[in-house]
Amino acid sequence: MRINYNELLFVEGLKDYTLIRTLYKKYIVHKNIGNFTNYLPRDKFIRIHKSYTVGIDHIETVASNEIEIGPHLIPIGRSYRKKILFLLRIKETKILE
């Protein structure tokens, strides 16, 4: 299976499996999210939660505890929050509440 990185919205960890959500389809692969995320380019994807890695270019809104990608609201893990804000160059004072 080949997936264009530009079409990959986010991946969600499901124990030993990973749900891959693209613009057009979703796939499930037998690989945990940590291993799967290691194959993604670091300049295009960011881990935002123990169960989620998202495509940076597809982020529409960043709120205090979630990221919006299309109709999907994805939680931001507390331990990932500062890193995400730094990488996305968003100051905490400008975050939507």
Side-chain angles (χ1 to χ4, degrees), residues 4-81:
N4 185 333
Y5 291 135
N6 296 327
E7 294 178 3
L8 202 158
L9 300 175
F10 64 90
V11 296
E12 178 182 358
L14 308 169
K15 294 195 179 191
D16 293 336
Y17 295 86
T18 299
L19 170 70
I20 304 165
R21 176 80 65 168
T22 70
L23 289 170
Y24 311 106
K25 289 179 114 178
K26 60 183 176 179
Y27 306 91
I28 294 180
V29 295
H30 189 262
K31 187 176 292 264
N32 71 39
I33 190 169
N35 290 334
F36 188 86
T37 298
N38 288 336
Y39 289 103
L40 299 173
R42 293 179 185 229
D43 61 327
K44 294 186 180 289
F45 296 90
I46 183 171
R47 185 89 177 254
I48 65 163
H49 187 277
K50 67 180 183 176
S51 298
Y52 290 95
T53 299
V54 300
I56 294 170
D57 293 339
H58 294 286
I59 296 173
E60 294 174 11
T61 306
V62 178
S64 61
N65 62 351
E66 62 190 9
I67 285 178
E68 182 179 357
I69 297 179
H72 308 283
L73 294 176
I74 301 168
I76 298 173
R78 280 182 282 175
S79 62
Y80 295 87
R81 189 168 190 266

